[in-house]
Amino acid sequence: MARTTIKEAITIASLVGENITIKGWVRTFRSNRFVAINDGSTINNIQAVIEFENMEEDVLKQINTGAAIAVKGKLVESQGSGQSVEIQVSSLEILGESNPEEYPLQPKKHSMEFLREKAHLRMRTNTFGAVFRLRHAMSYAIHQYFNDRGFYQMHTPIITGSDAEGAGEMFRVTTMDLKDVDKDDKGEIDTTKDFFGKETNLTVSGQLEAELGALALGKVYTFGPTFRAENSNTTRHLAEFWMIEPEVAFNDIIDNMNLAEDFLKHLAQYALDNCADDVKFLTEREVKEEKTKPQAERNELNLQERLEFITKNNFERITYTEAIRILENSKPYKKKKFKYMPEWGSDLQTEHERFLVEKHFKKPVIISDYPASFKAFYMRQNEDGKTVAAMDILFPGIGEIIGGSQREERLDVLKAKCKDFNIPEEHVWWYLETRKFGTCTHSGFGLGFERLVMFVTGMTNIRDVIPFPRTPKSAEF
């Protein structure tokens, strides 16, 4: 008999009255009769009801939390509360037993810190099952969105000889024997002897290569792993994470904003429409967690409301200069409540971004035209000579979720930017050449996938939205 998933069993009405086979893991076993089983297909368990005469005692002893079992029986309408259907067991097989004295995920509340130490098992919990189903759904929705709008996916290099951000915080890729490194006449590492004949690193972004694709195919996007060797242990940083980076030829900064807003609304709506059970569970979980926090630290909107907030509101659009003016006229500024006092020329902090979204405008915000001094070399210089055609999108509870810009298409200006940022032209000669051959206006943005998953799940630590987080001093599993 073919296996029926628990999601199918509880949603397909025609299965009621049929004999089915369910395979999954035991969540609870009570009264030597009622087994709650989950197979990962849904947040919901199914109850299997055992009649004693149908079960040997030695089998009953092996039905412990975490055990993998196969159950055959008739699917019937449930006689108890809490579930619509249940299985009347005709046979039960232990596929893999579980020692109750050793299995760490007993049916009780566990801290997030404890579950990170058990990352090989934490996906079996309700919380992480919901998180990773939503992560999959967002991945699918992203590909669906771009495919339906005529974009082509590009697989950009993971190993690269360029630093797209100019930050220098990159992981070196080498095959050299670190105990006996070849040196040149100046006593420096001779990278010509390395595998690629030059210094190479793990990529921080696929953007520069995606621009090349956009200038040939029109509309492209990347969706791949990126790496930052930033020694940060905050709740918002990972050393390995995933990025979505669309690039569109002939799009200016306004077109870029329009695309990003429509994209984010699509993703929020997809979560609401297709992941209702998981969103409901995570919303209820968050509401309970919020009650333990001081009033000032609580979210004004719950998870469900924040997702609806994105779909129902047009994003407010302001310039960086306007944002600074609003912040300087705000009560937190006048009462010196901000930890970092905003001033023109300094980057906005999360507390500033959240004030603009949650307190001032009460809607998502797009900020544009940032000072050139703290933005990347490839962003188009505005006519004022001080700002660039950059944009950030700010969300409730999370701050910046998307960063993008119109790219600098003028060769002379881009060369001057390379000089200002100490980027040798020979390192990006291929990027510069695109400004010599058929240059045109083009734009794009980057969405950190884990930031998105944090938003749609309500999780507050980025380590809890990727299966196996990579952080300083931590590369387990």
Side-chain angles (χ1 to χ4, degrees):
M1 185 182 293
R3 179 171 78 95
T4 301
T5 68
I6 292 174
K7 184 175 183 179
E8 291 168 336
I10 63 179
T11 58
I12 301 176
S14 61
L15 288 177
V16 176
E18 298 292 321
N19 286 308
I20 64 172
T21 298
I22 292 288
K23 295 181 181 180
W25 295 272
V26 175
R27 287 292 175 84
T28 60
F29 182 37
R30 57 188 178 85
S31 304
N32 264 9
R33 190 177 181 215
F34 303 106
V35 188
I37 308 167
N38 189 281
D39 65 359
S41 63
T42 171
I43 190 75
N44 300 296
N45 301 329
I46 196 165
Q47 178 171 275
V49 183
I50 298 170
E51 298 298 335
F52 287 102
E53 59 268 22
N54 295 336
M55 198 61 52
E56 297 178 4
E57 189 172 337
D58 62 331
V59 173
L60 286 172
K61 290 179 180 179
Q62 297 178 65
I63 306 176
N64 296 306
T65 300
I69 64 174
V71 168
K72 295 181 181 180
K74 181 180 286 189
L75 185 68
V76 298
E77 293 183 3
S78 178
Q79 300 302 307
S81 60
Q83 64 273 330
S84 59
V85 293
E86 61 188 22
I87 301 173
Q88 293 178 340
V89 177
S90 57
S91 68
L92 185 150
E93 179 185 0
I94 304 295
L95 303 176
E97 60 183 276
S98 179
N99 187 330
E101 296 177 359
E102 296 181 6
Y103 186 62
L105 302 184
Q106 294 301 317
K108 64 177 183 178
K109 182 178 175 61
H110 297 288
S111 71
M112 292 293 107
E113 291 80 6
F114 173 80
L115 291 172
R116 283 178 214 127
E117 295 173 1
K118 307 295 180 185
H120 58 304
L121 297 172
R122 67 176 180 169
M123 283 176 274
R124 299 189 189 187
T125 65
N126 283 335
T127 296
F128 286 98
V131 166
F132 293 121
R133 279 188 295 271
L134 270 159
R135 183 181 171 104
H136 160 78
M138 288 298 94
S139 176
Y140 176 81
I142 287 163
H143 288 297
Q144 178 196 60
Y145 179 89
F146 287 124
N147 182 73
D148 290 352
R149 287 157 182 80
F151 282 71
Y152 300 103
Q153 184 182 11
M154 277 191 68
H155 295 118
T156 52
I158 291 175
I159 299 173
T160 179
S162 68
D163 178 0
E165 299 293 327
E169 296 171 328
M170 305 179 76
F171 289 101
R172 172 76 69 84
V173 175
T174 182
T175 59
M176 299 179 85
D177 182 356
L178 298 183
K179 295 179 182 178
D180 186 20
V181 179
D182 288 313
K183 303 268 182 88
D184 59 19
D185 294 340
K186 297 179 181 178
E188 303 202 359
I189 295 174
D190 187 358
T191 55
T192 64
K193 302 288 182 64
D194 210 343
F195 185 89
F196 293 105
K198 61 182 290 188
E199 183 176 334
T200 52
N201 305 282
L202 295 179
T203 187
V204 299
S205 169
Q207 178 205 310
L208 301 190
E209 293 87 353
E211 285 187 51
L212 312 186
L215 295 175
L217 300 173
K219 297 191 287 188
V220 303
Y221 74 103
T222 74
F223 191 164
T226 50
F227 308 86
R228 301 276 172 98
E230 185 176 358
N231 189 17
S232 175
N233 278 295
T234 76
T235 58
R236 294 161 59 86
H237 291 91
L238 291 168
E240 176 187 88
F241 54 100
W242 290 69
M243 285 285 288
I244 301 97
E245 298 171 293
E247 290 288 331
V248 186
F250 313 112
N251 265 17
D252 62 17
I253 188 66
I254 302 301
D255 299 320
N256 205 33
M257 293 182 195
N258 293 340
L259 175 66
E261 179 172 346
D262 187 63
F263 177 52
L264 289 171
K265 285 185 173 181
H266 171 82
L267 297 179
Q269 192 63 57
Y270 189 93
L272 289 167
D273 291 344
N274 296 277
C275 309
D277 286 347
D278 287 323
V279 169
K280 180 175 182 289
F281 170 82
L282 290 169
T283 299
E284 292 171 351
R285 173 191 175 276
E286 181 187 77
V287 169
K288 292 176 185 176
E289 292 288 326
E290 290 283 293
K291 291 178 181 178
T292 67
K293 297 179 181 178
Q295 187 69 38
E297 296 178 16
R298 296 179 188 177
N299 283 305
E300 292 192 11
L301 303 174
N302 65 40
L303 173 60
Q304 176 96 19
E305 291 168 339
R306 291 197 300 275
L307 289 169
E308 293 170 349
F309 178 87
I310 300 307
T311 64
K312 293 177 180 178
N313 284 289
N314 291 325
F315 296 7
E316 187 72 28
R317 300 186 184 191
I318 60 172
T319 66
Y320 168 87
T321 300
E322 290 169 333
I324 292 294
R325 189 180 303 122
I326 291 167
L327 291 167
E328 288 178 339
N329 288 320
S330 69
K331 286 184 179 179
Y333 181 89
K334 293 175 179 176
K335 294 183 177 181
K336 297 185 178 181
K337 295 287 188 180
F338 287 129
K339 183 178 179 181
Y340 301 96
M341 298 303 283
E343 61 178 347
W344 204 99
S346 63
D347 204 355
L348 297 179
Q349 303 296 319
T350 301
E351 60 179 336
H352 307 146
E353 296 168 340
R354 291 190 61 179
F355 171 83
L356 291 168
V357 174
E358 299 167 29
K359 303 294 185 183
H360 187 79
F361 289 110
K362 297 187 183 297
K363 62 170 67 174
V365 176
I366 306 178
I367 299 180
S368 63
D369 301 312
Y370 283 85
S373 58
F374 59 80
K375 287 297 184 179
F377 81 99
Y378 50 73
M379 296 184 176
R380 194 182 200 278
Q381 189 80 32
N382 287 331
E383 299 308 314
D384 61 14
K386 298 188 301 181
T387 63
V388 289
M391 64 135 196
D392 288 342
I393 298 185
L394 315 180
F395 265 19
I398 198 168
E400 180 192 336
I401 193 166
I402 272 181
S405 71
Q406 184 173 325
R407 314 312 190 187
E408 183 55 75
E409 84 281 10
R410 298 164 293 186
L411 181 60
D412 58 336
V413 179
L414 191 56
K415 281 187 171 184
K417 284 286 198 77
C418 286
K419 186 176 181 180
D420 291 342
F421 279 78
N422 295 315
I423 299 171
E425 288 187 21
E426 58 267 26
H427 287 189
V428 289
W429 64 268
W430 44 272
Y431 186 70
L432 294 172
E433 277 208 350
T434 60
R435 274 62 176 175
K436 291 167 61 178
F437 309 129
T439 188
C440 67
T441 298
H442 61 287
S443 298
F445 59 81
L447 168 65
F449 187 48
E450 282 71 30
R451 287 277 181 92
L452 170 69
V453 181
M454 285 177 73
F455 181 75
V456 299
T457 62
M459 303 302 284
T460 56
N461 193 316
I462 200 166
R463 302 177 194 205
D464 297 330
V465 296
I466 191 169
F468 307 105
R470 297 290 179 253
T471 55
K473 308 298 182 186
S474 178
E476 198 61 70
F477 309 104

